[in-house]
Amino acid sequence: MDSPIKTRVWRLDADAPDPDIIAQAADIIRDGRLVAFPTETVYGLGANALSAPAIERIYAAKQRPAHDPIIAHIAAIDDLPRLAVDIPDIAFDLARALWPGALTMILKRGADVPDNIAAGLDTVAVRMPSGKIAAALIASAGVPIAAPSANTFTRPSATTAAHVLHDLGGRIDAVLDGGATHIGIESTVLDLTGETPTILRPGGVLLDDIQRIAPTTITRSRWQTDDTPSPSPGQMLKHYAPNARMMVYRGEVAAVLDAMRRTAEELSAEGLRVGLLVAAEDRPHIDGAGVVHVLGRRDDLAGISRNLFAALRQLDAQNVDVILTRDFGAEGLGVALWDRLVRAAEGRVVTV
Ligand code: TXA
Ligand code: MG
């Protein structure tokens, strides 16, 4: 690793960010260096999206493999043609309906966009995030900002500035601390380069929302377990993973909780420290079986999503050896939650 640099931390009001600080951060971006900033989904690790050396710094800081492409963030729909060519009408329809928001669109890459943001693909991922800090930073920089989630590769995404500093402190120039992010899981990635709009990663914008504008949209669920480049790179199974070994249970809720409790007791008897990641209503069934962490009420999938990555990091900090968690259904955000849970568990799903 390079010798550490001093990471500046600027605390900002998420609703009214100080323009002087934004201007200083924008200078750092224009200078080809790295600034982490909050979006409505998770914190991003930003660099000038039109500069190959700046993007190279992102890969180095994150220890991210070069075959995993990065999203470019813009502050206005009018900036889309700076990044993409042959943009289909449906992209503009979707942008008008769902931007700023948690939707990333894969489009044909424009000539001025460096190869390395796209890991060599002829496409580019573009998103217009909501949130005043992100919008102000991008607008002030005057260039699109490339930003993957601001975590070390394969670690849970960062939803607070403290998470960013934990993973990337000393490796990046600055962090804009705007408090905890609102959605807590990443954007939905939608590929618009083929015949049929295809969701490559479920996220903060739901399939229903997209289908209202693009009715033929489908979801392609595919997990890759090795380093082979593919048309949807970055879909490796190991992702968002805590240090602890995680298992995700699915099935009828009462049976799932029984099985989790039994397993927790068995593992504890073997001397392992067990973390349990559950809904508020699960608590009575599971109390005493391990370190219990409540994500939120069962019917509040937004709250559960918002808390997920912080919970994984907190259980790691509590030095648990194993994390047992469960499925939260396939309604709404449940789809994206399931995706993140299975990845965090590196595919260890127990069907009860
Ligand atoms: O909410 C989010 O999307 C956050 C915030 C910071 O915007 N960003 C984020 O970036 O989650 P990252 O790098 O952690 O995930 C980007 C995903 C990866 O799965 C990557 O493979 C995919 O988008 N992606 C990026 N460019 C792509 C491309 N040209 N073709 C296919 N997939 C692409
Ligand atoms: Mg990520």
Side-chain angles (χ1 to χ4, degrees):
M1 173 184 156
D2 297 335
S3 56
I5 55 174
K6 184 169 157 37
T7 301
R8 299 199 59 168
V9 182
W10 279 299
R11 173 81 218 169
L12 284 173
D13 182 339
D15 297 320
D18 180 338
D20 290 339
I21 292 173
I22 293 291
Q24 288 183 65
D27 279 344
I28 297 175
I29 295 285
R30 271 194 306 271
D31 209 28
R33 312 204 65 91
L34 305 179
V35 179
F37 62 98
T39 77
E40 77 278 41
T41 58
V42 298
Y43 274 72
L45 175 56
N48 180 352
L50 301 180
S51 159
I55 292 163
E56 201 45 54
R57 288 201 171 99
I58 292 179
Y59 285 100
K62 273 199 71 150
Q63 299 170 282
R64 183 179 174 111
H67 61 72
D68 194 2
I70 296 170
I71 299 169
H73 297 72
I74 55 177
I77 296 176
D78 289 347
D79 287 338
L80 207 40
R82 288 178 81 178
L83 294 166
V85 290
D86 302 340
I87 303 170
D89 290 341
I90 195 73
F92 287 105
D93 295 342
L94 285 162
R96 277 189 293 267
L98 298 170
W99 279 358
L103 174 69
T104 295
M105 296 194 270
I106 310 292
L107 299 163
K108 218 171 143 201
R109 180 158 57 99
D112 296 339
V113 182
D115 258 5
N116 63 346
I117 193 172
L121 297 171
D122 58 5
T123 56
V124 64
V126 189
R127 174 163 109 81
M128 179 171 152
S130 71
K132 293 210 167 128
I133 295 177
L137 179 67
I138 301 163
S140 177
V143 290
I145 295 186
S149 50
N151 51 289
T152 310
F153 182 63
T154 78
R155 296 281 302 147
S157 293
T159 56
T160 67
H163 298 163
V164 177
L165 287 167
H166 178 272
D167 284 16
L168 299 170
R171 294 173 158 268
I172 65 178
D173 296 84
V175 183
L176 300 180
D177 179 356
T181 60
H182 181 67
I183 296 179
I185 55 178
E186 307 84 345
S187 63
T188 303
V189 177
L190 178 68
D191 186 353
L192 293 175
T193 62
E195 288 283 291
T196 307
T198 303
I199 293 178
L200 303 180
R201 176 180 75 179
V205 162
L206 307 183
L207 175 63
D208 281 355
D209 302 326
I210 294 172
Q211 282 182 335
R212 260 193 289 281
I213 314 297
T216 60
T217 301
I218 57 166
T219 298
R220 181 171 70 206
S221 171
R222 41 174 293 153
W223 284 307
Q224 207 184 302
T225 49
D226 57 28
D227 289 350
T228 324
S230 83
S232 65
Q235 303 298 95
M236 283 81 65
L237 191 48
K238 180 174 166 62
H239 216 119
Y240 318 108
N243 294 324
R245 180 187 160 84
M246 181 156 144
M247 286 187 274
V248 46
Y249 285 70
R250 73 169 159 198
E252 192 264 315
V253 178
V256 157
L257 293 172
D258 268 358
M260 286 170 68
R261 182 178 187 96
R262 238 178 302 116
T263 307
E265 284 166 356
E266 281 162 21
L267 294 171
S268 302
E270 288 170 26
L272 294 176
R273 199 167 148 79
V274 181
L276 294 147
L277 206 50
V278 295
E281 295 88 337
D282 303 341
R283 180 154 219 162
H285 308 275
I286 223 98
D287 250 346
V291 181
V292 177
H293 192 111
V294 169
L295 287 169
R297 294 183 52 79
R298 247 176 227 171
D299 60 1
D300 179 18
L301 294 178
I304 290 177
S305 302
R306 192 178 304 128
N307 294 330
L308 176 66
F309 289 133
L312 293 176
R313 285 173 179 266
Q314 194 178 326
L315 284 171
D316 267 347
Q318 290 172 293
N319 287 314
V320 300
D321 304 298
V322 182
I323 298 173
L324 308 182
T325 189
R326 72 173 187 87
D327 181 17
F328 294 98
E331 292 299 311
L333 282 169
V335 179
L337 266 169
W338 175 250
D339 172 87
R340 303 308 186 272
L341 290 171
V342 173
R343 287 172 194 236
E346 294 171 48
R348 285 183 292 263
V349 173
V350 182
T351 303
V352 181

